[in-house]
């Protein structure tokens, strides 16, 4: 079979698999695919496009994998057809518009459910037929003008729509400012304003205006501001919904930089006659007004946040979808937190952060005993060259503000180099670009430099004395806003010798006494050090008379894993395997739980951890099992550990990739502490402290618990790694 036939057959197979969403249109698509196998023609492709879109409109947006799979296949079919067949200029342009439109709608779906990076992939793919060059980013205006002369329906509109979404995504992701400005300068000649403007034109101006709030260009800003104000006057009587949309943009940072009164514009937006304001916009506008008041109307602010959370709860089908939406919209609580700090209402800042982080996890506010908890709220406000901490203990909230002793851009550069990752500091004058050798870290030789940079950036010393006042029996719960995957719990825990965990759910229930353990070891058969960990764990459990079930390599079937994971009789579930965290598509992050099969985060989250009297502990001794995507200015809601932790399960995971040997050392020491009766947070922190003291100290402990003849002790003596470095001891974290 040729490539076209293979692609058509794959489309047919997918329509059969997922026909339940719209069987009529699925069957029509299958019939057209059969027809295409007899010969590809322009008319057949266009008919398929119509029914293809009718079918996809029936698939819920949270089933985005189905959408993306179909879009990729249809993209391939259109590209193959254009290469294989001879179409007229007009026919080819029509197919280009179909291609662009399909990818635009896919990009919209992905951005609406909280995955902007994946959305950008489809956004750029949609623009591709109309690009003259990707570097420099150049639109083929001549081709667009030819299409318009041929009266190709929708060509101007789809270019404006794709440009609008590109502006939106660039503002969120922060690394496409230069391309976004170039796109505006090239496409603004297609813009219609005044009475000729339609929805795509207004969106274009609004989203570019919002982008200017992050990357301000005064001359262009004045031009856009003038156009928006003029358009508002027209839409006020012509289309109230569009008038409200414009007024909302004029409450953004763009308007602040342009000297506008954002409160007045918010009030205008809320009072446009006959306007139907969507809840997200309504929340945004209400907060704009409420947060400018000198005395906070805390009841109104609280109701506004809860209304949004209730809406999210009612409009997401699973916990991962809910996590993504709370992450996408966490600018709301962050705005409240910052304003509460300005007005020195520190406990209200804590309450709002706690509410937004835990509301869905506990299916309610869960604030009854918040005042009794010990919480550290950390706000690394790098754009302001300072860090803010609120420490809540014994019903009192203490505020600390420290100036960063290192330039923000320098710190981000050091962090990126250490992690082998790419974090963007929003609002940089020159947005950072991916490193030329972009690959997974961590880079061990950069460990000391990263540790020093963290100390300079966050000035931990100012908090050390007050944190040491917390009794060692208590757990300090850390909440980082926004979430940057910083090893805060590790550094504070080491400095203060206090138990710390990352706050992701309601108040932790008491720890479970470990009576039954599941060990799931090296399903793929290539983590050789994991067998030393397995042997050590079994030795410790046998020595203490604790029942366990242990499975490794070929014993680890996918079906067996599913049945054991949901068995609530296990107090401790211990997994040693490969993991792959996907920053762009977090729900598709994987744990390789059998030789030939992995389970995604979404699938794992659907395996309900049922109610228990006390929590159980899940140890994910796997790479990147504790990190969260750094997208938006947001809390870290989504991740293997973050999303699997709830009121009935705490999770231990790693912030970055970790070697099999170091994971084995960590795992063995952790099990020893847990069996001794330490609380989970205490156990994790004590292991960090032990590892930070170096190889000789670790050797003494391992010898005492396993014996001098242990394979793990022998292996340690033959290794070159200096385990006292941050790269080794700061990676593990407890989420609860």
């Amino acid at each position: 079979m040729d490539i076209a036939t293979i692609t058509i057959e794959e489309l047919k197979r997918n329509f059969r698999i997922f026909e339940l969403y719209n069987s009529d249109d699925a069957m029509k698509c299958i019939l057209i695919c059969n027809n295409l196998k007899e010969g590809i023609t322009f008319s057949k492709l266009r008919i398929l496009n119509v029914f293809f879109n009718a079918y996809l409109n029936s698939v819920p947006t949270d089933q985005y994998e189905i959408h993306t799979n179909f879009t990729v296949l249809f993209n391939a079919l259109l590209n193959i057809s254009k290469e294989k067949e001879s179409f007229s200029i007009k026919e080819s342009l029509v197919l280009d518009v179909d291609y662009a439109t399909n990818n635009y709608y896919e990009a919209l779906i992905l951005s609406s459910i909280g995955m902007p990076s994946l959305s950008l992939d489809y956004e750029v793919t949609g623009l591709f037929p109309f690009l003259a060059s990707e570097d420099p980013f150049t639109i083929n205006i001549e081709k667009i003008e030819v299409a318009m002369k041929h009266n190709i329906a929708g060509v101007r509109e789809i270019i404006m729509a794709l440009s609008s979404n590109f502006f939106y995504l660039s503002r969120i992701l922060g690394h496409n400012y230069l391309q976004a400005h170039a796109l505006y300068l090239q496409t603004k000649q297609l813009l219609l304003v005044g009475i000729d403007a339609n929805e795509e034109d207004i969106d274009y101006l609004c989203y570019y205006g919002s982008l200017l709030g992050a990357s301000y260009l005064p001359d262009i800003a004045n031009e856009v501001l003038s156009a928006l104000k003029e358009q508002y006057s027209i839409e006020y009587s012509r289309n109230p919904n569009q008038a409200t949309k414009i007024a909302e943009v004029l409450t953004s940072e763009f308007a602040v930089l342009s000297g506008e009164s954002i409160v007045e514009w918010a009030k205008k937006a809320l009072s446009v006659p006959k306007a139907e304001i969507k809840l997200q916009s309504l929340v945004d506008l209400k907060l704009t007004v409420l947060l400018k008041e000198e005395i906070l109307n805390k009841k109104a602010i609280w109701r506004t946040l809860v209304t949004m959370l209730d809406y999210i709860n009612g409009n997401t089908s699973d916990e991962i979808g809910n996590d993504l939406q709370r992450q996408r919209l966490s600018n709301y609580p962050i705005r409240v937190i910052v304003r509460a700090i300005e007005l020195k209402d520190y406990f209200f800042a804590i309450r709002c952060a706690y509410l937004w982080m835990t509301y869905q996890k506990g299916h309610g506010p869960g604030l009854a005993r918040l005042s009794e908890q010990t919480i550290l709220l950390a706000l690394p406000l790098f754009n302001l060259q300072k860090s803010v901490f609120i420490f809540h203990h014994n019903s009192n909230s203490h505020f600390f503000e420290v100036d960063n002793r290192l330039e923000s851009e320098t710190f981000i550069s050091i962090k990126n180099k250490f992690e082998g990752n790419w974090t963007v500091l929003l609002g940089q004058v020159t947005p950072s670009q991916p490193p030329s050798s972009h690959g997974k870290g961590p880079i061990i030789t950069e460990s000391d430099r990263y540790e020093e940079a963290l100390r300079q950036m966050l000035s931990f010393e100012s908090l050390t004395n007050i944190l040491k006042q917390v009794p060692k029996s208590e757990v300090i719960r850390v909440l980082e806003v926004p979430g940057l995957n910083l090893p805060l719990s590790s550094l504070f825990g080491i400095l203060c010798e206090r138990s710390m965990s990352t706050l992701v759910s309601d108040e932790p229930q008491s720890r479970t006494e470990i009576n039954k353990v599941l060990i799931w070891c090296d399903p793929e058969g290539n983590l050789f050090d994991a067998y030393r960990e397995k042997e050590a764990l079994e030795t410790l459990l046998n020595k203490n008379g604790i029942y366990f079930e242990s499975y490794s390599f070929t014993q680890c079937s996918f079906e067996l894993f599913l049945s054991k994971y949901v068995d609530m009789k296990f107090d401790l579930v211990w997994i040693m395997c490969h993991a792959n965290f996907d920053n762009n598509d977090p729900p598709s992050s994987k744990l390789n739980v059998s030789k030939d099969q992995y389970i995604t985060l979404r699938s794992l989250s659907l395996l309900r951890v049922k109610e228990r009297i006390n929590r159980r502990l899940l140890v994910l001794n796997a790479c990147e099992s504790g990190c969260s995507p750094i997208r938006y200015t947001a809390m870290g809601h989504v991740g293997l550990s973050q999303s699997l932790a709830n009121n009935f399960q705490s999770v231990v995971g790693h912030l970055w990739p970790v070697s099999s040997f170091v994971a084995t050392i960590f795992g063995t020491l952790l099990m020893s502490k847990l069996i001794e009766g330490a609380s989970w947070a205490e156990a994790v922190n004590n292991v960090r402290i032990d590892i930070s003291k170096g190889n000789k100290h670790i050797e003494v402990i391992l010898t005492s618990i396993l014996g001098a003849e242990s394979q793990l002790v022998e292996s340690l003596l033959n290794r070159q790694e200096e385990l006292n470095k941050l790269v080794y001891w700061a990676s593990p974290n407890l989420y609860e």
Side-chain angles (χ1 to χ4, degrees), residues 452-734:
E452 179 58 29
L454 283 163
R455 292 174 182 271
Q456 288 183 322
M457 201 66 187
L458 299 171
S459 300
F460 293 93
E461 298 84 356
S462 60
L463 272 173
T464 300
N465 290 334
I466 192 166
L467 291 178
K468 284 185 174 180
Q469 295 174 20
V470 177
K472 288 192 173 183
S473 59
E474 293 186 24
V475 177
I476 301 170
R477 309 186 70 200
V478 179
L479 182 52
E480 183 187 1
V481 180
L484 296 175
N485 292 324
L486 299 177
L488 297 181
S489 294
S490 298
L491 281 162
F492 279 123
I494 288 279
L495 287 171
C496 305
E497 297 185 348
R498 293 298 182 273
S499 304
M500 311 194 84
S501 66
T502 296
L503 190 159
V504 293
S505 63
D506 288 350
E507 180 188 5
Q509 299 179 13
S510 58
R511 66 184 176 85
T512 300
E513 183 178 345
I514 298 173
N515 294 309
K516 186 175 182 180
V517 178
L518 171 67
I519 299 173
W520 199 261
C521 174
D522 189 25
E524 295 178 280
N526 54 17
L527 290 172
F528 304 112
D529 285 306
Y531 290 91
R532 293 189 176 93
E533 181 178 354
K534 173 178 173 289
E535 179 188 73
L537 300 185
E538 291 172 352
T539 297
L540 292 169
L541 292 168
N542 278 323
K543 188 183 295 185
N544 288 274
I546 297 173
Y547 174 84
F548 64 89
E549 294 180 22
S550 181
Y551 303 93
S552 60
F553 194 24
T554 56
Q555 297 173 317
C556 298
S557 73
F558 188 77
E559 294 73 19
L560 182 63
F561 174 81
L562 298 182
S563 67
K564 295 299 180 183
Y565 182 80
V566 297
D567 186 346
M568 291 299 105
K569 293 178 182 177
F570 287 111
D571 306 305
L572 174 59
V573 175
W574 200 287
I575 301 176
M576 298 166 266
C577 71
H578 287 293
N580 179 20
F581 181 72
D582 192 328
N583 279 284
N584 293 340
D585 184 2
S588 296
S589 299
K590 302 174 181 67
L591 283 177
N592 296 359
V593 295
S594 73
K595 189 176 189 306
D596 302 312
Q597 282 182 278
Y598 58 79
I599 189 166
T600 65
L601 172 56
R602 182 183 291 279
S603 297
L604 197 54
S605 72
L606 294 174
L607 298 176
R608 294 277 180 181
V609 176
K610 300 173 185 176
E611 290 193 21
R612 292 171 51 103
I613 295 175
N614 296 316
R615 290 189 183 208
R616 78 174 186 185
L617 180 62
L618 170 65
V619 175
L620 296 177
N621 209 1
C623 295
E624 295 184 300
S625 52
C627 63
S628 187
I630 302 173
R631 302 292 184 265
Y632 311 96
T633 301
M635 299 181 187
H637 287 281
V638 191
L640 287 162
S641 293
Q642 291 86 339
S643 297
L644 297 176
N646 56 40
N647 282 4
F648 310 106
Q649 176 169 272
S650 296
V651 185
V652 173
H654 290 274
L655 284 173
W656 46 74
V658 59
S659 76
S660 176
F661 175 67
V662 175
T664 295
I665 295 290
F666 167 75
T668 303
L669 295 177
L670 179 62
M671 180 65 85
S672 174
K673 306 292 184 188
L674 293 172
I675 290 174
E676 288 171 3
S679 73
W680 297 340
E682 181 185 10
V684 171
N685 198 58
N686 285 344
V687 172
R688 290 191 196 112
I689 292 171
D690 285 339
I691 295 176
S692 73
K693 291 180 179 179
N695 296 38
K696 191 64 182 176
H697 180 78
I698 297 168
E699 179 194 342
V700 171
I701 297 175
L702 291 179
T703 300
S704 70
I705 62 176
L706 298 175
E709 304 304 316
S710 161
Q711 285 190 2
L712 188 53
V713 173
E714 182 182 342
S715 181
L716 176 64
L717 293 173
N718 292 324
R719 299 282 180 147
Q720 300 300 314
E721 294 99 326
E722 297 178 23
L723 299 183
N724 61 344
K725 291 182 177 294
L726 171 139
V727 65
Y728 299 123
W729 56 258
S731 177
N733 206 12
L734 174 66

Side-chain angles (χ1 to χ4, degrees), residues 255-296:
V256 174
L257 295 172
S258 299
E260 295 293 308
S261 169
I262 62 173
V263 172
E264 289 306 311
W265 277 110
K267 290 177 178 177
K268 285 182 181 180
L270 291 167
S271 61
V272 175
K274 299 182 181 179
E276 298 174 357
I277 307 178
K278 293 180 179 179
L279 181 62
Q280 186 176 327
S281 295
L282 189 63
V283 168
D284 189 34
L285 294 166
K286 283 185 175 179
L287 287 178
T288 298
V289 175
L290 289 167
L291 295 179
K292 283 297 181 180
E293 295 175 352
E294 289 302 314
I295 299 176
L296 286 181

